[in-house]
């Protein structure tokens, strides 16, 4: 069964068959960038050979050779042995320095290749990592894991600019610390490194005029966007929130740093979902007003959407493909939509009666490699779809009892799926077997469970969820509750985690969004 066209669910968008279109666009390949070195960048200088010094040396050598020639022709005295020895020693010293510079450049170059290979493997591009290793001679990922922690730290301190590149460019220091791999025999066993439990604090609070419904971080973790029932979206700077401390005496949204950069008013009804584009400075919002809108947050002069898609139902969820070209859409209608973002063409399953849900779609998300997507529904089921041909690979009925399922989120390695539902539980599923692997329970059972979403922390050490007005953190492997964070005075309905650091945003019916982060962030 392949995806096919449909014209019954949109008013203004062109529809077309999907057979042959999802391949190759959905065989996602990582972008290849060629960035010229910045001569003013201290890190780039490490790789620059001392051309100027070498040219000056050549200039002096030519000067000496010309001088020697004139001496020979004009009958002047030839340079003494001492002068020749001094010149020869100077040339040898320059050659030695040049060799040292070359070795240093090669050392950093090789180390950078190792970091690139490790990053590629952690992001799921193992084949590409092996190719880089093959052509550069850098150790493959498995060997890199054996590098001692002390050695890594010493390499960081050899050059401050290198450490800054690692922290700011590829976030190695965070993402490499933990890789979610759950063995059924180890479920319920506390992770060894969680004895150093992080302390989370509220750094900033922003207030909407109505309940806050959703939030998302941009791909680089630099910004957060929150949505509300008041139909507005707020763009906030993470850096400014990190260095702000919210006190009880302060008025929300007030800070000398002014973390709230701008507010968008372009929807006419409440915002149900918001996601960030994986590559471009664009956020996409889904609304009860039957529209999907795209905002360019890099343009401070633009407070309205530059593009929109008109739907025929309440739009409940949107989710970008990792390449950014396609968008999953779920509405109050039971059929999942897939849009080409560039031309707004819409695709649906060619066999909707068998492939789709039987009630509204609550959430739709792609895996990190784009090879799968998952949907949750009010019919109580979870469906996992093949990202290349649009077929349903697995259906898990009654995943959370008789109630609805709200969240679907893939782990970074695409082996596990995190969900939650009306039973008040969060669950981890093994996608290889379709079996439930772990359960994350609130501290006390409530017969009146409210709708809310859950999320992995950036390093997947924690599952972040909610119970009534509190934010809860569970150990992702053991399922043990490790922290309860207070602050909201009404139900927490959504949480969104930063992709690069120990920080997250909670959204509540009290109209507030609270920015929590590790107490260590912002102190150094």
């Amino acid at each position: 069964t392949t995806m096919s066209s449909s014209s019954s669910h949109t008013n203004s968008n062109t529809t077309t068959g999907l057979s042959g279109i999802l391949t190759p666009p959905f065989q996602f390949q990582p972008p290849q960038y060629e960035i010229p070195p910045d001569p003013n960048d201290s890190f780039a200088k490490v790789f620059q050979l001392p051309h100027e010094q070498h040219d000056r040396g050549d200039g002096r050598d030519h000067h000496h050779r010309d001088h020697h020639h004139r001496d020979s022709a004009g009958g002047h005295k030839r340079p003494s042995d001492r002068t020749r020895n001094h010149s020869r020693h100077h040339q040898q010293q320059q050659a030695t320095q040049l060799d040292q510079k070359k070795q240093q450049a090669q050392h950093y170059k090789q180390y950078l290749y190792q970091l690139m290979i490790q990053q590629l493997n952690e992001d799921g591009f193992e084949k590409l990592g092996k190719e880089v290793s093959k052509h550069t001679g850098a150790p493959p990922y498995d060997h890199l894991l054996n590098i001692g922690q002390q050695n890594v730290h010493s390499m960081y301190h050899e050059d401050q600019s290198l450490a800054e590149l690692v922290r700011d460019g590829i976030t190695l220091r965070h993402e490499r610390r933990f890789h979610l791999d759950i063995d059924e025999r180890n479920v319920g066993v506390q992770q060894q490194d969680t004895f150093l439990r992080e302390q989370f604090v509220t750094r900033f609070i922003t207030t909407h005029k109505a309940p806050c419904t959703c939030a998302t971080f941009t791909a680089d973790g630099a910004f957060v966007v929150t949505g509300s029932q008041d139909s507005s979206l707020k763009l906030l700077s993470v850096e400014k929130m990190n260095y702000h401390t919210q006190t009880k005496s302060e008025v929300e949204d007030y800070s000398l740093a002014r973390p709230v950069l701008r507010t968008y008013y372009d929807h006419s009804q409440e915002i149900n979902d918001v996601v960030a584009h994986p590559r471009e400075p664009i956020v996409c919002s889904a609304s009860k007003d039957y529209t999907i809108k795209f905002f360019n947050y890099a343009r401070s002069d633009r407070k309205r959407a530059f593009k929109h898609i008109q739907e025929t139902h309440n739009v409940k969820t949107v989710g970008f493909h990792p390449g950014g070209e396609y968008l999953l859409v779920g509405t109050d209608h039971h059929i999942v939509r897939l849009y080409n973002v560039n031309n707004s063409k819409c695709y649906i399953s060619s066999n909707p009666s068998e492939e789709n849900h039987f009630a509204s779609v609550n959430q739709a998300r792609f895996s990190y490699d784009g090879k799968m997507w998952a949907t949750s529904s009010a019919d109580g089921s979870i469906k996992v779809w093949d990202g290349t041909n649009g077929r349903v690979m697995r259906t898990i009925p009654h995943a959370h009892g008789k109630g609805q399922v709200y969240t679907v989120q893939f782990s970074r390695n695409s082996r596990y799926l995190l969900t939650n539902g009306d039973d008040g539980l969060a669950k981890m599923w093994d996608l290889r077997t379709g079996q439930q692997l772990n359960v994350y329970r609130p501290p006390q059972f409530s017969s009146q469970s409210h709708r809310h979403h859950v999320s992995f922390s950036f390093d997947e050490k924690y599952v972040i969820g909610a119970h009534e007005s509190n934010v809860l953190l569970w150990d992702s492997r053991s399922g043990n509750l490790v922290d309860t964070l207070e602050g909201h005075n009404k139900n927490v309905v959504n949480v969104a985690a930063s992709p690069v650091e120990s920080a997250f945003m909670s959204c509540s019916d009290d109209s507030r969004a609270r920015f929590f982060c590790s107490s260590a962030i912002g102190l150094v």
Side-chain angles (χ1 to χ4, degrees):
T1 304
T2 58
M3 305 285 281
S4 68
S5 65
S6 171
S7 59
S8 63
H9 66 285
T10 57
N11 291 331
S12 59
N13 295 298
T14 305
T15 58
T16 188
L18 192 57
S19 178
I21 294 181
L22 282 183
T23 305
F26 269 67
Q27 293 181 349
F28 172 66
Q29 296 293 333
Q32 297 181 359
Y33 299 102
E34 185 174 348
I35 304 176
D38 183 356
N40 297 319
D41 185 4
S42 58
F43 179 75
K45 292 177 182 177
V46 175
F47 297 93
Q48 294 176 357
L49 299 180
H51 296 298
E52 295 180 359
Q53 181 180 356
H54 192 244
D55 290 340
R56 287 195 299 269
D58 286 345
R60 284 194 294 268
D61 290 343
H62 290 307
H63 170 73
H64 287 313
R65 285 195 294 271
D66 293 341
H67 180 62
H68 298 165
H69 181 74
R70 288 195 303 270
D71 289 345
S72 173
H76 296 294
K77 292 183 179 179
R78 300 180 66 84
S80 64
D81 292 340
R82 182 178 179 180
T83 302
R84 286 196 296 271
N85 290 337
H86 178 76
S87 176
R88 190 180 300 112
H89 175 73
H90 180 71
Q91 292 177 7
Q92 292 175 349
Q93 190 177 30
Q94 281 190 323
T96 301
Q97 292 176 351
L98 182 60
D99 289 338
Q100 290 175 348
K101 288 288 184 181
K102 288 181 178 179
Q103 291 177 4
Q104 184 184 28
Q106 185 63 26
H107 167 77
Y108 281 114
K109 183 178 179 181
Q110 199 75 351
Y111 180 50
L112 185 59
Y113 278 135
Q114 291 176 333
L115 299 182
M116 292 168 62
I117 294 168
Q118 188 168 358
Q119 181 77 27
L120 287 169
N121 280 274
E122 284 295 324
D123 290 344
F125 307 120
E126 291 87 358
K127 291 184 180 179
L128 189 58
K130 289 180 180 179
E131 286 297 315
V132 175
S133 177
K134 175 181 176 181
H135 291 288
T136 62
Y141 178 59
D142 291 339
H143 295 171
L144 187 59
L145 282 177
N146 296 325
I147 294 178
Q149 188 69 23
Q150 186 64 35
N151 292 336
V152 174
H153 282 306
S154 65
M155 296 180 84
Y156 281 176
H157 293 296
E158 285 181 11
D159 188 272
Q160 183 63 28
S161 59
L162 178 60
E164 292 173 355
L165 176 75
V166 173
R167 286 197 300 266
D168 300 335
I170 57 178
T171 64
L172 178 75
R173 61 171 182 163
H174 294 304
E175 294 189 13
R176 305 295 77 79
R177 291 181 182 176
F178 182 77
H179 186 68
L180 188 62
D181 190 5
I182 300 177
D183 191 324
E184 291 185 7
R185 295 169 296 180
N186 297 328
V187 171
V189 178
Q190 191 81 5
Q191 299 177 59
Q192 294 181 359
D193 56 354
T194 56
F195 72 95
L196 295 174
R197 185 177 300 165
E198 294 174 281
Q199 298 296 320
F200 288 89
V201 295
T202 299
R203 284 290 168 81
F204 190 72
I205 302 171
T206 187
T207 306
H208 287 269
K209 298 177 181 178
C212 185
T213 55
C214 54
T216 189
F217 282 78
T218 56
D220 58 3
F223 303 97
V224 176
V225 178
T226 61
S228 170
Q229 288 185 13
D230 65 8
S231 76
S232 72
L233 294 163
K234 286 189 177 185
L235 176 70
L236 302 98
S237 166
V238 172
E239 181 181 13
K240 292 182 178 181
M241 289 192 293
N242 270 334
Y243 290 89
H244 175 73
T245 301
Q246 187 80 33
T247 64
K248 293 182 179 180
S249 61
E250 288 181 324
V251 177
E252 291 87 350
D253 278 336
Y254 174 77
S255 168
L256 294 176
R258 299 193 180 279
V260 179
L261 303 180
R262 64 190 69 97
T263 303
Y264 300 98
Y265 290 100
D266 206 18
H267 285 286
S268 59
Q269 294 191 53
E270 69 179 80
I271 312 293
N272 292 321
D273 196 11
V274 59
V275 292
H277 193 280
R279 300 181 184 178
E280 303 296 335
I282 295 170
V283 292
C284 174
S285 56
S287 174
K288 197 174 181 178
D289 63 9
Y290 295 17
T291 65
I292 303 161
K293 297 198 174 185
F294 300 83
F295 299 84
N296 185 344
Y297 60 84
R299 295 288 300 271
S300 59
D301 59 331
R302 299 284 180 89
K303 293 189 176 182
R304 293 192 177 277
F306 67 89
K307 176 184 177 68
H308 82 278
I309 296 174
Q310 184 67 47
E311 261 289 349
T312 58
H313 294 77
N314 171 25
V315 187
K316 304 184 74 171
T317 181
V318 285
F320 275 112
H321 181 271
E325 298 92 349
Y326 291 90
L327 185 75
L328 280 172
V329 175
T331 70
D332 275 342
H333 195 268
H334 66 281
I335 295 179
V336 181
R337 285 91 152 119
L338 181 67
Y339 281 94
N340 183 314
V341 174
N342 296 319
N343 57 26
S344 299
K345 289 183 179 180
C346 181
Y347 312 102
I348 64 171
S349 170
S350 60
N351 193 357
S353 61
E354 295 183 7
E355 297 283 350
N356 280 277
H357 292 282
F358 300 103
S360 61
V361 180
N362 288 329
Q363 194 169 67
R365 292 290 186 266
F366 274 101
S367 61
Y368 284 86
D369 57 11
K371 295 179 180 179
M372 296 180 287
W373 76 71
T375 54
S376 61
S377 173
D379 66 11
S381 70
I382 301 165
K383 288 183 180 290
V384 181
W385 307 68
D386 189 313
T388 59
N389 57 29
R391 295 174 180 172
V392 173
M393 301 167 57
R394 186 180 300 277
T395 298
I396 304 176
H398 312 297
H400 287 265
K402 298 181 180 180
Q404 300 188 42
V405 183
Y406 300 121
T407 300
V408 280
Q409 183 181 358
F410 287 93
S411 62
R412 290 184 181 273
N413 58 17
S414 301
R415 294 180 183 177
Y416 310 109
L417 190 69
L418 179 66
T419 67
N420 82 313
D422 273 337
D423 57 2
L425 305 176
K427 296 183 179 182
M428 183 88 73
W429 302 85
D430 189 332
L431 293 177
R432 294 166 290 188
T433 63
Q435 299 299 309
Q436 177 183 303
L437 195 58
N438 218 340
V439 179
Y440 309 93
R441 304 177 185 277
Q444 56 186 10
F445 176 76
S446 175
S447 59
Q448 296 181 343
S449 176
H450 66 280
R451 172 176 179 151
H452 69 281
H453 290 279
V454 296
S455 174
F456 284 115
S457 62
F458 84 102
D459 52 8
E460 298 181 337
K461 287 170 61 176
Y462 304 111
V463 170
I464 309 170
H467 177 67
E468 298 178 347
S469 62
N470 295 328
V471 177
L472 306 180
L473 277 77
W474 292 275
D475 182 292
S476 60
R477 286 186 179 178
S478 69
N480 294 335
L481 182 66
V482 297
D483 207 352
T484 300
L485 305 175
E486 301 177 348
H488 290 287
N489 52 43
K490 289 186 179 181
N491 287 338
V492 176
V493 297
N494 212 328
V495 289
S498 167
V500 299
E501 63 183 350
S502 294
F504 58 89
M505 208 81 177
S506 62
C507 306
S508 172
D509 284 340
D510 63 9
S511 303
R512 295 177 175 89
R514 301 179 75 94
F515 177 74
F516 291 92
C517 71
S518 171
S519 57
I521 297 177
L523 298 180
V524 294

